[in-house]
Amino acid sequence: MKKIHAAITGIQGYVPEYILSNKELEKLVDTNDEWIVSRTGIKERRILKDKNKGSSDLGAEAIKLLLEKTKTLAEEIDLIICATATPDMLFPSTACLIANKIGANNICAFDVMAACSGFLYGINTASKFIETGTYNKVIVVGCDKMSSIVDYTQRTTCVLFGDGAGAVLMEPNSKGLGIQDAILRSDGGGGEFLKLKAGGSLSPASHETVDAREHYIYQDGQPVFKAAVKSMADVSEEIMKRNNLTSEDVAWLVPHQANKRIIDATSRRMGVGDEKVMLNIERYGNTTTATIPLCLWEWEEKLNKGDNLILAAFGGGFTWGSIYLKWAYDSQK
Ligand code: ACO
């Protein structure tokens, strides 16, 4: 019997309209465009301004467009996996809220939480349901309203993040295309360097936690940067080695967009030239779980059936990983 792979068969991104530029941030905190661009590669990011909307609205928009584009009905979907670090609320899960918003109310839906590596954890989880024949049509969506947890008085973090969503449709493939291999890792010891201190069961919201601004992202940038550079490059190199891939075999590196310097270090270690690296950090910043699907969406037209893609991410947890997949369709319109 032929092995069934799980393949991405459709991709769609969604970003809110409002553009927060480096110039505008200069008015909020003591920073400047030159510092932000040279240290991170970011020029602007999108912000969801509507106070009545959360991550589920970003995710639902991406999925509605994806269903339209792939001519899929909501009732055909078997499973929705939502990767997010900014759930609408602790529960119900954002996946359930999204399922309801797109009119799929009788399906399996759950969240995965692996911060910036969430999309990789999500598609790897989805692949198991597909490879085992459990489900045929699975949507994985990465959506984050990072602006809801960014402290716009902190120059060390507020320049980094933006809001956005990206969704993929995944289906079985019997021709050897789709996900080939995955390496996913974590190290909870890194939690102290990148976290949201309050609002969970350990430190529920109180006047004290609000006064101490503990409902905003806390990040000690340097140790996170060092771990990200090493871990993302390590797993990307490892997945190439164990699949006997040379840099020539790799059509595209699709890296998590947290910092251009981290991306450069990863591509250098893989021996992959800049022309094969998907990069849109300058326009969106770090949208956490949405960076990788947003890249795939913007590059869709350049992708060809059979292209070898290496997806790589690093994020809070720490979590990191790399996925090797063979693109399953010709995307030129
Ligand atoms: N504008 C101007 N100066 C700034 C700014 C700013 N926005 N931010 C920091 N600085 C200053 C600092 O105060 C410091 O000044 P000092 O030397 O007088 O103290 C100086 O710049 C250097 O600060 P560093 O923190 O050492 O700067 P660094 O080069 O490390 O860059 C950055 C900071 C961009 C945050 C980097 O550490 C980084 O990218 N870290 C990793 C981010 C990441 O990958 N996160 C994981 C994913 S996120 C997730 O999972 C949710």
Side-chain angles (χ1 to χ4, degrees):
M1 212 171 75
K2 272 201 175 152
K3 182 174 168 18
I4 297 293
H5 288 87
I8 292 173
T9 54
I11 171 86
Q12 180 66 44
Y14 176 79
V15 287
E17 268 173 36
Y18 186 84
I19 296 173
L20 176 61
S21 66
N22 289 351
K23 275 274 162 265
E24 207 179 328
L25 281 168
E26 285 178 11
K27 293 180 205 151
L28 299 177
V29 289
D30 180 14
T31 191
N32 58 79
D33 179 61
E34 196 278 326
W35 190 96
I36 303 171
V37 174
S38 64
R39 305 309 289 166
T40 70
I42 303 167
K43 291 182 181 155
E44 58 189 42
R45 60 297 282 147
R46 300 299 182 101
I47 303 294
L48 180 57
K49 282 287 189 184
D50 189 336
K51 288 201 162 51
N52 297 313
K53 289 193 169 165
S55 295
S56 72
D57 295 287
L58 295 168
E61 281 308 315
I63 296 176
K64 280 180 201 162
L65 293 167
L66 175 67
L67 295 182
E68 224 175 273
K69 183 173 166 184
T70 57
K71 300 185 175 48
T72 307
L73 300 172
E75 47 269 38
E76 290 180 88
I77 304 300
D78 300 306
L79 163 68
I80 293 179
I81 298 178
C82 173
T84 184
T86 50
D88 283 19
M89 49 194 94
L90 277 180
F91 68 88
S93 75
T94 305
C96 286
L97 299 172
I98 289 175
N100 181 247
K101 282 179 179 159
I102 65 154
N105 283 320
N106 202 21
I107 63 166
C108 182
F110 61 89
D111 288 0
V112 296
M113 172 54 195
C116 296
S117 311
F119 184 74
L120 296 194
Y121 273 68
I123 59 171
N124 191 48
T125 305
S127 73
K128 305 305 164 197
F129 286 101
I130 292 170
E131 287 164 10
T132 53
T134 311
Y135 295 131
N136 281 317
K137 285 188 191 288
V138 179
I139 284 183
V140 180
V141 59
C143 50
D144 270 299
K145 185 183 172 184
M146 294 305 291
S147 59
S148 65
I149 56 167
V150 165
D151 184 346
Y152 288 97
T153 68
Q154 284 299 320
R155 69 176 182 175
T156 49
T157 48
C158 75
V159 300
L160 303 174
F161 297 97
D163 301 338
V168 291
L169 176 63
M170 295 181 72
E171 294 178 277
N173 184 292
S174 56
K175 305 249 165 30
L177 302 171
I179 292 186
Q180 307 292 310
D181 195 10
I183 301 174
L184 298 175
R185 302 255 161 81
S186 72
D187 174 6
E192 64 176 296
F193 303 114
L194 178 53
K195 61 181 163 185
L196 204 64
K197 292 182 180 172
S201 58
L202 182 64
S203 179
S206 66
H207 286 294
E208 288 74 27
T209 62
V210 171
D211 290 344
R213 307 185 80 77
E214 289 180 349
H215 297 273
Y216 294 119
I217 297 169
Y218 166 83
Q219 176 170 259
D220 186 352
Q222 291 263 337
V224 178
F225 183 84
K226 278 188 196 142
V229 164
K230 181 171 180 341
S231 311
M232 234 165 92
D234 279 354
V235 283
S236 303
E237 195 181 30
E238 189 181 338
I239 208 159
M240 281 175 71
K241 273 196 182 139
R242 80 181 194 192
N243 290 283
N244 300 314
L245 294 172
T246 65
S247 53
E248 283 78 47
D249 298 324
V250 176
W252 295 100
L253 166 64
V254 196
H256 170 54
Q257 315 274 309
N259 187 315
K260 185 170 181 305
R261 290 181 291 149
I262 299 172
I263 295 171
D264 290 344
T266 303
S267 58
R268 263 199 307 275
R269 181 91 82 80
M270 293 168 68
V272 166
D274 290 350
E275 71 287 356
K276 290 184 176 181
V277 180
M278 294 189 192
L279 192 74
N280 59 14
I281 191 171
E282 71 277 7
R283 281 174 293 121
Y284 302 131
N286 182 351
T287 54
T288 302
T289 59
T291 61
I292 289 176
L294 280 175
C295 278
L296 290 173
W297 172 53
E298 292 201 321
W299 264 260
E300 186 186 20
E301 288 181 32
K302 293 189 181 147
L303 297 175
N304 295 304
K305 198 169 172 177
D307 278 355
N308 290 319
L309 271 56
I310 303 286
L311 282 43
F314 179 89
F318 293 145
T319 56
W320 66 99
S322 186
I323 286 185
Y324 161 39
L325 63 83
K326 281 187 181 293
W327 194 248
Y329 59 99
D330 287 319
S331 314
Q332 282 102 343
K333 295 204 172 101

